[in-house]
Amino acid sequence: SSEVLEAIENVIQGVIQSLAQKKAPVLTVANRADWRNIEFKDSVGLQMIPRCTTKQIRSDCPQSAKRFALMLKILSMIYKMVQSNTYATKRDIYYSDTLLFGSQSVVDQIINDISCMLKIPRRSLHVLSTTKGFVAGNLSYTEEDGTKVNCTCSATAVTVPSNVQGIKNLTSHAKFILIVEKDATFQRLLDDDFFSKVSPCIMITGRGIPDLNTRLLVRKLWDSFQIPIFTLMDADPHGVEIMCVYKYGSVSMSFEAHHLTVPSIKWLGLLPSDLERLNICKDALIPFTKQDENKLASIQKRPYIACQPLWKKELEIMAASKLKAEIQVLTSLSSDYLSRIYLPNKLQFGGWL
């Protein structure tokens, strides 16, 4: 915490020095959304380059003066929380003055900018993100406050903890981890008791694009158990995008890639080639929208696709057919096809990429 306080003090000292010299204070932040600031590394995923382009948030410019003020406001809130060892969620910060901040996304962006500017992970700033992910299966751990959590014996899923860094005593006999894109599929597998039928496993869902805590938990489980991690996604560009976030990270959080990515993640399904292999009826498939075409084209250009020839092939099949499918399409074969046939066969015979 002394490191965090010192980093904030250095920023404020810079502001005061500028004022003393009768200059307009400026905050310099990395340009997080620019692909030119990102390099791809097989072992890490997408990470920010050391000398990346920056943008200045000036106090004397009408376009950025408000943002400058909001950054100082949030820095002072973080400073107080670190000093008093208290925590707040991003929502708490927004609701402390909704009129001032204007929207939740403004708060989210500023917190990420601060984290990147200070080169300090968000958790160390005492800012927690609200969790939407669930975990179930062969796993137990102790939360920071001493609460013991056992995911094995509950018929319902457990919410991903809001302070993943603080959990300890992780134990599991799981043979693999399954990341499921959607909540509905996750609940279905839970109802079918999938995680104990095939072989003990841990199931996780970020319920769409994963939040930070879900990504941190996947990484923590990988560090703790070093067991295979598979993804179960829709066969569409959105599903591929989500899988890439877990595996290689995102551009906006590339400065934290080392804590968040798991490059060893495998694509288990639903593969575009599965649709033909399983003879899925064309009527059950959904035609691409213009948005789907654009998203797929942008994914195909990304640096990590070049080193994944088998993924590349699957994306080409998708692009050629201009059709997408949700995991639920497997129910057209039989109501429990996913848990009874599709997943067990894939896991047994190595049907992943």
Side-chain angles (χ1 to χ4, degrees):
S1 60
S2 60
E3 189 189 321
V4 181
L5 296 176
E6 196 182 321
I8 296 174
E9 285 161 10
N10 288 340
V11 171
I12 302 306
Q13 206 174 352
V15 170
I16 293 167
Q17 276 168 349
S18 296
L19 291 170
Q21 293 161 3
K22 299 205 164 20
K23 288 181 187 162
V26 167
L27 295 173
T28 305
V29 297
N31 216 335
R32 290 186 298 114
D34 193 337
W35 272 92
R36 285 170 303 183
N37 288 334
I38 311 295
E39 63 178 354
F40 169 65
K41 247 189 161 166
D42 249 5
S43 57
V44 183
L46 300 174
Q47 61 175 11
M48 194 168 264
I49 57 174
R51 286 179 298 282
C52 63
T53 60
T54 55
K55 56 182 178 188
Q56 291 194 324
I57 297 166
R58 304 188 59 86
S59 58
D60 61 347
C61 165
Q63 280 88 6
S64 61
K66 184 178 179 183
R67 196 171 185 87
F68 180 90
L70 293 181
M71 281 187 82
L72 289 191
K73 166 80 174 164
I74 291 179
L75 276 168
S76 79
M77 292 171 86
I78 291 169
Y79 193 86
K80 282 178 195 146
M81 289 193 298
V82 175
Q83 258 186 333
S84 58
N85 196 26
T86 52
Y87 287 82
T89 64
K90 294 184 298 181
R91 275 182 86 75
D92 295 335
I93 291 174
Y94 168 59
Y95 281 110
S96 69
D97 198 332
T98 52
L99 278 176
L100 177 69
F101 294 120
S103 78
Q104 180 71 62
S105 65
V106 167
V107 173
D108 297 355
Q109 280 173 357
I110 288 176
I111 287 164
N112 285 341
D113 276 342
I114 287 172
S115 172
C116 187
M117 176 176 75
L118 301 178
K119 296 190 169 46
I120 289 169
R122 198 162 75 190
R123 308 166 288 299
S124 305
L125 301 176
H126 286 228
V127 179
L128 304 170
S129 47
T130 341
T131 298
K132 64 185 177 96
F134 288 134
V135 57
N138 196 295
L139 174 69
S140 59
Y141 55 84
T142 310
E143 289 199 352
E144 198 178 25
D145 62 0
T147 310
K148 287 186 165 55
V149 178
N150 189 348
C151 307
T152 314
C153 58
S154 72
T156 55
V158 172
T159 309
V160 168
S162 58
N163 187 358
V164 175
Q165 287 321 90
I167 65 175
K168 47 190 185 291
N169 308 330
L170 285 89
T171 53
S172 174
H173 303 294
K175 297 282 182 279
F176 63 91
I177 295 162
L178 182 67
I179 299 171
V180 183
E181 177 186 349
K182 282 194 187 137
D183 192 26
T185 311
F186 180 85
Q187 296 299 339
R188 179 68 212 244
L189 290 172
L190 209 56
D191 294 344
D192 290 350
D193 201 16
F194 173 77
F195 63 79
S196 57
K197 269 184 189 158
V198 180
S199 66
C201 74
I202 299 166
M203 294 197 314
I204 291 181
T205 181
R207 299 163 76 193
I209 294 169
D211 57 86
L212 196 68
N213 294 328
T214 305
R215 291 174 61 190
L216 282 168
L217 182 62
V218 170
R219 176 60 197 238
K220 185 145 190 150
L221 293 173
W222 164 248
D223 288 338
S224 305
F225 304 123
Q226 301 276 312
I227 52 178
I229 303 181
F230 301 112
T231 57
L232 180 62
M233 307 278 151
D234 287 341
D236 67 7
H238 191 62
V240 175
E241 172 96 280
I242 290 170
M243 172 171 58
C244 292
V245 169
Y246 282 108
K247 187 175 170 80
Y248 295 122
S250 58
V251 173
S252 64
M253 294 299 287
S254 58
F255 64 97
E256 271 214 60
H258 288 271
H259 308 286
L260 292 171
T261 60
V262 184
S264 61
I265 283 174
K266 301 277 183 258
W267 186 4
L268 187 71
L270 189 64
L271 302 177
S273 59
D274 287 340
L275 304 174
E276 208 166 294
R277 186 176 61 81
L278 298 171
N279 247 334
I280 301 283
C281 170
K282 279 273 197 295
D283 296 346
L285 305 179
I286 308 158
F288 261 25
T289 62
K290 189 77 194 128
Q291 203 181 357
D292 290 324
E293 284 182 44
N294 295 341
K295 169 139 345 247
L296 183 57
S298 101
I299 292 171
Q300 286 176 304
K301 288 193 194 90
R302 287 185 198 165
Y304 43 69
I305 297 299
C307 70
Q308 289 279 7
L310 296 175
W311 282 32
K312 207 170 159 213
K313 240 187 201 147
E314 293 293 332
L315 298 184
E316 282 163 6
I317 292 172
M318 202 190 286
S321 74
K322 290 194 178 168
L323 293 168
K324 56 185 181 176
E326 297 185 330
I327 299 161
Q328 287 86 328
V329 79
L330 296 175
T331 55
S332 67
L333 301 172
S334 78
S335 63
D336 58 352
Y337 191 86
L338 176 67
S339 58
R340 191 172 52 87
I341 299 168
Y342 182 82
L343 288 174
N345 282 353
K346 283 242 162 186
L347 292 161
Q348 190 182 345
F349 300 114
W352 58 80
L353 306 178

